[in-house]
Structure formats: C-alpha cells, structure tokens
Amino acid sequence: MPEPTKKDETETENAPPPPEQKTPQEGGTEKGKDEDDTSAGTPPADGMSKPAERKDSVWSIGDGAPEETEKRDDSQRSTLFVEKPQSGSVSVGGNITFIAKVEAKDLLRKPNVKWFKGKWMDLASKAGKHLQLKESFERHTKIHTFEMHIIQAKENYAGNYRCEVSYKDKFDSCSFDLEVTESSQAAPSIDIRSAFKRSGDGQDDAGELDFSGLLKRREVKQQEEEPEVDVWELLKNANPSEYEKIAFQYGITDLRGMLKRLKRMRREVKKSAAFAKGLDPAYQVDKGGKVRFMVELADPTVELKWYKNGQEIRPSAKYIFEHKGNQRILFINNCTMTDDARYYVTAGDEKCSTELFVRDPPILVTKGLEDTNTYVGERVELSCEVSEDDANVKWFKNGVELTNEPKSRYRIKVEGKKHTLIIEEAAKNDSATYSVMTTGGQSEAKLSVDLRPLKISLALEDQTVRLGQEIHLKCEISENVEGKWYKNGQLVEASDRVKLYHKGRIHRFIIASAAVDDEGEYMFVPDAYNINIPCKVHVVDPPKLHLDGLGEDNTVTVVAGSKLRLEIPITGEPTPKVMWSRGDKWLTDSGRIRAETYPDSSCLVIDTAEREDSGPFRITLKNEAGEDTALINIKVVDVPDPPQAPNVTEVGEDWCVMTWEPPANDGGSPILGYFIERKKKQSSRWMRLNFELCKETTFEPKKMIEGVAYEVRVFAVNAIGISKPSMPSKSFVPLAVTSPPTLLAVDGVTDTSVTMKWRPPDHIGAAGLDGYVVEYCFEGTDEWIVANPELTDKTKFTINGLPTGSKILVRVKAVNAAGESEPRYHPQPILVKEVVEPPKIRLPRHLKQTYTRRVGETVNLVIPFQGRPRAKVSWQKNGSPIDKNQINIRNTENDTIIFIRKAERSHSGEYDMKVEVENLEDKATIDIQIVDRPGPPEIVTIEDVWGENVNLSWKPPKDDGNAAITGYTIQKADKKSMEWFTVIEHYHRTSATINELVIGNEYYFRIFAENMCGLSEDATMTKESALIAKDGKVYKYPVYDDFDFSERPLFTQPLINTYAVAGYNATLNCSVRGNPKPKITWLKNKVIIMNDPRYRMFSNQGVCTLEIRKPSPYDGGTYTCRAVNELGEAEVDCKLEVKGGLSFFRLLMDGVPPHIIDSYMREVQADKTEGK
C-alpha cells in the first residue's frame, strides 16, 4: 500500500468543514494554545505565502475548546464596521481589491481608517504603482466605503493584513489574509500521501515527514503499485457524508482525531533561540514499527525533557534517549495505537511539538466471493475471508453500500475472519454484482436469481350461475407467487364486492352476489411468468318488469294532444320477448299506438293522445327462465273549459268585487284555482291581477283608476294547464265619494243664526264635487235637520231661524255622483247668542318694520284682524284722516286692505290702524317709505391742483330720494374731447383726490349721487376746469387726524316675533354693528344657549342667525341676542311660538288667516281634552 505523504497546510485551508465542526467566523485572530502569538510579517524570501496560523486556517471535524469559541466570538464584535474586508487569493500578476464599509449614521465626521500589513507596517506610506487606497461616501445610504487595491501582485505580497477604523472613543479592527498563487504553469500538484515519505526498513529516520521537501515543491516519486490520489483534495470536494468512505478506502483509521490534530500543525517552525532545528510538524508509523524524533539544540547544556500528551517520558525499553553532539534523539519502539498522540520537547522556557500518527496494517481479502446462481425464494449466502478477526468489512450491491439494519432484507454475519451476506428469500431484483471491501483489498461476484418452472395443479373451470348467486373461481399452481386477475382483458382489483385470496399456492376469486355485468372471460396470470389460466362465467336471470317509477295502481297520466312515450325497464338473461296488448288486441310496432322494444327496455308510444285512449294496457315478458306480466292504466287528461262571464257586484274608489261560477268540465283533473285579468274598456291589453292562484270564486281587484271604465275575465287552472279565458264582464267604472270637508269652524253667531264655514275635502276624486249638505240638531236630541234642502257649492252657509240661547250641533257632508261623504262634525255645541270677541290685529311680519317701495310701484297690503261682532276699522296717516281719493281702503269682517295703484313720495309716512268692537280696541302702526333716485350734489368745487392730482369737494344733494345716500360716482372728461370716464364708484365721503392725470391736459369733473334706487338722473359738474401744469409745484399733503371707528354694539335690524311649525327648522335673524367686533351670545328665556346640538349659530358680516332644528312646542319662548364689546353691550329679543304638527303648516300654506288657525287649534285641543 502506498505510503502516506506530507500535505502543505495551504491546500487544506479552503476545505469545507465537516458537519460537526462550527466554522470560525472570518477575521478571527485568536491563536491555539501551542501556536505562536506573533502575527505574520513581511512575505518570506522564497516567494511562498506564510502559512496562516489562525484557527480558521485549518478545518477539523473535532469540536474546539469552549474558551477558544468565546474568544473568537468576542473578537468579532464590531461597533463601526458594517462590512469587513474578506480574505482572498490572487495569482501572480493579478489584481485584487479589499473593501471595508462604515456606517456614518451616528458619526458627525468621516472616521479615521488605516491599513496595515502584519502588526506595524502602515500601508499609507507604501501607496504607489502596486498599492492604491481609495475612499467614497454614499449620501443616500450614509455609508463610507474604503478600498485597498493591490495591482500586479507578487509572491511576497502574501500574508496577514489588518484594517483599523477609529472615531473619537470608538475603535474597531479586522484582520484578513492574502494568498498569492503561481500561475497554471507552476510546479505539479503535490500529493500529501506521497509526502509521508518512509525510509527503508531498519533505517534510523524511518517515519519522519519530509515537510521541507514539500514546501520547496520537490518532485515526489510515485509508488508503482497505486496511482496518485490526493486524499485531502478528495475530502475537500466530497460531500461530508462520504468522509468515512474515503477514510476507509485509503486507510485513514482515526479521521476525526487526525483532522483535529492536523488543525494545530504548524507549516513552518518559528525561529527559536533554544532549538537550532526543531521537530517536524507530524510523523507517521505503522503499527509495530519504530519512530525517531530528533531535535538540535543551540546550547547543548540546556536541560531537555520529552512529553507525551502532557506527561513526561522516562527512559525505558520502549522509549530510548540518545545524544549526538547537539542532537537529542528519542526512539519509540514497537509502536501501538496508544502511541498515537501529541509529543513535545522543552528546552528551558521554550518547547517544540509534533504529532505522531500510528496506522493499522491493511486488512487483506484472503478468500474472495464466488459467482452464484439460484431460484426465487431460495436462501442465498455470499461468503469471504479476511486476514484479521472481526475486521471492518463493507458490502456493496452494484456499488451501493449495504447496511446491517433490522428491517433490511440483507443480513451480515461475522464469524472470526469469515464474513457472510445472507438473503433469506431471494427475489428477481436481487440479481446484481455484490462486492466486499477492506482497507487492503476487495472482491466481487455476480448473483443470478431465476424463476422455477411453473406447473398448474388446478385450473379454473367455466361456471354458469344465476343472478345474485356466488361466483367462486379457484386455481392452484406449483409455486407460491403473487398474481393478477383479469376480466375481459381488464385488470380486476380487490374491492368490497370482489374478494381476492392468496394462500400458499392457491388463488381464489369470489363475488358474493353475481350481477349481469359479471359475465365474461376471467383469467389468472402469475407474477413473473408468461402464463395465464382462463375460464368463462355465464350469468342467467328470469325476465322481470321494473315498474318502480309508475304511480299508484301503475297509472300513467298524459295530456290530451301530446305524445306519450312510456319506457318500461326490463331485465332477463337471455333477453326476453316483449308483447303489448289492449283488451284482446295485440299492439304492433307501427300505427298511432305502437310498441317499441330495446335490449333493456320496452316503450309504449301514443302519438297525439286522445281522451278515448284512456284504459288498461298489458305488457308480457317471456324467456327460457320464466315469464312476467303487468297491467298499466293510461289516463288522458286535458285543460278545463272556460268559466262563465264574471259579475261585478260592488264598485269602490279603486276597487270592485267580482264573482263567477266554476267551469262545467274540469278536463279530468280537479280545478286548482283561477287567474283573473282586467283591462281598460278602450284598450286591448289585458293585465294579470294575481300571480298566486285564487282558490275561491270571488275576487277583489284593486289599484284601478277612478273614473275609467274596466272589464274583467277569468281563467280556470288544473294540473294540466290553463283554460281559455271567460267572456269579459260588463264594463264598470270605479267611483268613490269624496273625503269629508275640512276645517269646519264657526264664522259668526247672532241671536237667531249661526254661520259656518269649511274648506273643500282633501280628496275629491274623479266623480267630482256636486255640493254640500249642512245639517244640525239641538243638543240632547238625535234628529238631524237639513239646513239647505238644495246643495250649496259655497264653503260658507248661515243657518237661520234658531231660537236664542239654544245649543246646536252642526255637521257638513260633501256630495258627488257616488253619494255623500262621511260627515265632518263641529267638535263642540254652538250657543246661539252673539258673543263679543276682543279685537286683535294680526300684523304680518314684513309690516312690523319699515315697508319700502319705489315711486311708481303698487302698494297692496292685507292686514288680518279678529273681533266680534261688527268690528269697526279706521285708518290715519301721520295723525290725519286718509285721503280716500289717493289711497283706497277696503274692509271686510276679517281683514282690511290698503291699496295704492301708483305710489308717490307723498304717500310715505306712518299709517295708524285701529279696530274697535264696542268699547274695546286694538291699534297698529305701519311705516311706509316710498323712495326714488336722489338729486345731484349741490356744488362741486376744485379745491386744489398739484402735480398729477386734483382735490375735489362737494355738498350732498338737497333731495336724497327719501332714502339714505349710499355713495357717489365721480367722472372726468378731457376738455378737448369732453368724453366722460368713471374715476371712482360708490364713494362715501364728500371730498376726493383724483390721481394719475395726464400732464398738460385740462379736465372737467362731474359727480352723481347714489341711494338704494340707483344713481341720480343728473350730475353736478365743476364750473372751472383743472389744468395739469407741466412744471408743477410740490404739493404738501394736509395732515388729518385718524378717524375713530370705535362704536358700541347697535342692532340695526331687530328680532321679530315668529311662528314656527313643529318638525320644521326655524331661524331667527337680526343684524348688529360695532367696533371692535362684538361677541354674540344667544339666550332662551334669559338662559345662555351653550353646547346644544339642536341650535346652530351663524354670524356673517354683522348678520346674526340662530337656527332651531325641528322645534317642538317645548322650544317656544323668548329668545334674546346679546352683543358685547369693550365699549358696551346691546340686546334684542323676540317671542317664538311653535304650532303643532302638519295641520297648522297645511292651513298656513292654504292661506288660512292666523286667527282662524288659532281658533281651530284651540277647538282641536279642547276635543282632545274632552276625549281624555
């Protein structure tokens, strides 16, 4: 077997770690216990990179010490680096770049970075052609990037490098290695196994490792008996699961220990003052051999001690010490596996260590495997013998290793030097090439497994079974093999219905209940044999009719006019003969009534069924196994006849009541219900009224249009379908009486009469309204007396001839073509006696403030009032009687009207209205203001001219048009053209300065006055012109005192008493002015309104608004608006009265005077009180 060779550690640094190893992180700098703490310096002189001495430079399948792991972890903690430079390799003449990145997120300035080689060589001073240092900053990511570029690398560049970064009190560093390799034309690869060079037998240097020859890349002689194989390259590139296989194949017995100790080996011995020549890194010797350790001392007087695994070695027959000048030699005789250990020698305070590997002798195969032929199911044993007892032997099948697991088909038996592979029951797939392998040899043989010749002991037999009986097929063959069952060439699998049994050489096929589909050709085929055992199974069945789908008594119903195709399923083996008959007549396969026969069914066909086809039909089945017969009743049904024309017995507003009789013939099926349709008489389009059947013979159509003629008709429905429609009914028109009259109230009472008034009904309908009937009865009686024998079309009627002091009840009915409506009763008895009602003027809201109209417009004011009896109305203007020639006054019992066809300014003034009833009176004042456009300003004067400016002043017009002057409009005109142009509009003061006039021009100016009606018709023009001189003098602006705009709050528009309708939003409005701007506060009944969602408050340009959302009677009361600023405060209030409900709103919209609505609402409230 070839001798193992010495391996350069640089070739093992990049090998992948085995699964058990925890790979140290890159950049670690901790040393092993026995390694030199000195970092790599400059590259060695011979161009080889110095071996990496850090833990991460050698991989091992052993677990490192916990202290070392903790040290490595601590060394990796970084506070500044976000990316560290990584170790790399480059060929001679190539380029390489190392990159370090530092995050600047928490740094106020750029950190300080230095690059070193070894411990102390600062590379900043070495920058040049072959070394370049660069740095950059990425603003988006805030990352500093530092780069070291090595260009055209040389061999002496290899070694350990370090990058340090510092910022204030923070510091971080990272070490990395550079390996410089030769180009592809370098010396041939070196095999570590060949490096373990052994001398000849009996030589003193047997077992020494020639590492110096390996480092100098000397040529290694190859062993003739085995080609070059680099074990370490195999391990590096192999999957970790194959490590043990490679170690077994190449004789590595202690792979784990070997790798663990090689991890600590040193490629180059550190120069020592005590040792002129130290031990080699490792030695290897065969078991039972002799090994020689030799060191050379620099000082021969130094005391020397040898240690094995930390225990001092004493001289003995096994351990022999020898001195030759400065050489100190240790011989270890008869090496055993216990001598496989770590050795070191101490000289003073220094020591030198090595590793000794003791290798077992190879295991040889003394008796190889033999080719074997056997049959399926036989026991197979493959045996071989090796040179040692209980040696480690591996078995392979077609190159795949076999294991001796409990569930494996293969069992491995070891008896001393004999090793046997046992297969209890050989199978066809066991045919293969089997091999056995030891550390010193291997052997292989072929196993061939064939099938035994098969004999059929019991063949399958043909069977004929009745439907539902058991099918049992059985066969017996000479071999105990599995097989498959086939039916008509299709594979049959075991199921709940089909049972397959195999016991020994017997195979069974069982179906408990035979079906027609089970008939066919069956076959059993043994596995792995080209043979089949066939048989036939025939299933017979008596004929049978399947009438499950027919109704009671086998009755089949068919609609007249349709086609009947009655299919009756039949069964029977062989196929039975089918015969149909009706009475004594047999049916043929042609004609309107015929029979059709198919393999699994028979059909009775009737084309265009008629009622005469009803009756029994007989079907008969016959075959060899028996006979079956049945009677089938055919029933032909039809839709019912149409009902008679319906009668309309009652008519309403949009409905009617109709009745009808059932049809004389129901078509052979009970009537299920009716459908009703209607149409307008002038239309031809009928409309269905019910989508669910009407079970009765009466119906009430609804949602008809009043006053339109209609007709109705009926359809009868049975299970077959819908009949034809009945004849239409006689036409009819829906009409309805009106709703009762509304707002029945007392309009006046005298000592002998009562005057009633009312409003028309809410709903009148298409029949219209012919008039009203007024009836009354005396209190305490039930006799109603008609007050008007003839209908009245008025909504007011006076009942005369009543005794004074009596009490009567009154009701009113509306009458149209449909009859009288429901009566409207007055809620309370009426006393026939004149009653004095105090006068009260209901002044409309818009008349409670100044009523303004322009000259020429019409003034038409209606002022309602109340008062009984015979209220007297009088008018005065400014304290004097009104001239009826200029102003028209018209009075009624409930209101008074003041009318001016064409208003003039002389009609302005205060109009006093007085209503008198006997000794009682009520007064109201209306302020009417008739306005017109104002006159022009009085005099316009040019006060001063300077530069490009002219100062004007004027006096307000004598005639302001009966309205306040709101502003002035100033125009200018060049004297040459006299075209007028507006300079200023809506100017409020009586003096103004006109700017930006053209130098050298001469101007005239005119001014219009303006009020709410518009500009004055004429304008006042300056008498003189203003010349804008070219050489103007410097104008000295006059000094004016600042105008004091401060003003205490003042309400310019007060709140007005308001009526609101319950459920409808109401608003209260007023306007206020003041400077500084006053703060607005709203109060209800002297209580401030705050944080109430029912109220919304607005203030815009001095207009204050309070919105009350959907008020109720509870919201009625006195509302106050208060304005406060630093100069004072002001208040204004009003009363809000909330009327109840929709009735009040509707009355108000219908134009009913408020005093009548109040009377009516009081009566309604009184009725409710009495009802309670």
Side-chain angles (χ1 to χ4, degrees), residues 94 233 251 359 382 397 406 430 541 662 674 900 920 958 1052 1081 1117:
E233 287 295 328
R359 186 177 62 178
L382 300 176
K397 174 185 177 182
D430 290 329
D541 185 23
Y674 301 90
I900 303 174
L920 303 174
K958 292 181 179 181
T1052 58
T1081 306

Side-chain angles (χ1 to χ4, degrees), residues 905 932-940 954-969 987-990 1007-1011 1014-1020:
R905 291 175 61 180
D932 197 3
R933 291 196 292 180
E938 288 193 23
I939 300 174
V940 179
W954 61 91
K955 293 183 178 180
K958 292 181 179 181
D959 182 10
D960 60 1
N962 206 21
I965 299 298
T966 58
Y968 300 93
T969 298
Y987 190 73
H988 297 285
R989 298 184 182 180
T990 56
I1007 300 176
F1008 294 86
E1010 183 180 3
N1011 67 1
L1015 296 175
S1016 61
E1017 295 181 359
D1018 301 322
T1020 302

Side-chain angles (χ1 to χ4, degrees), residues 894 1064 1146:
N894 297 318
Y1064 292 85
R1146 180 176 294 174

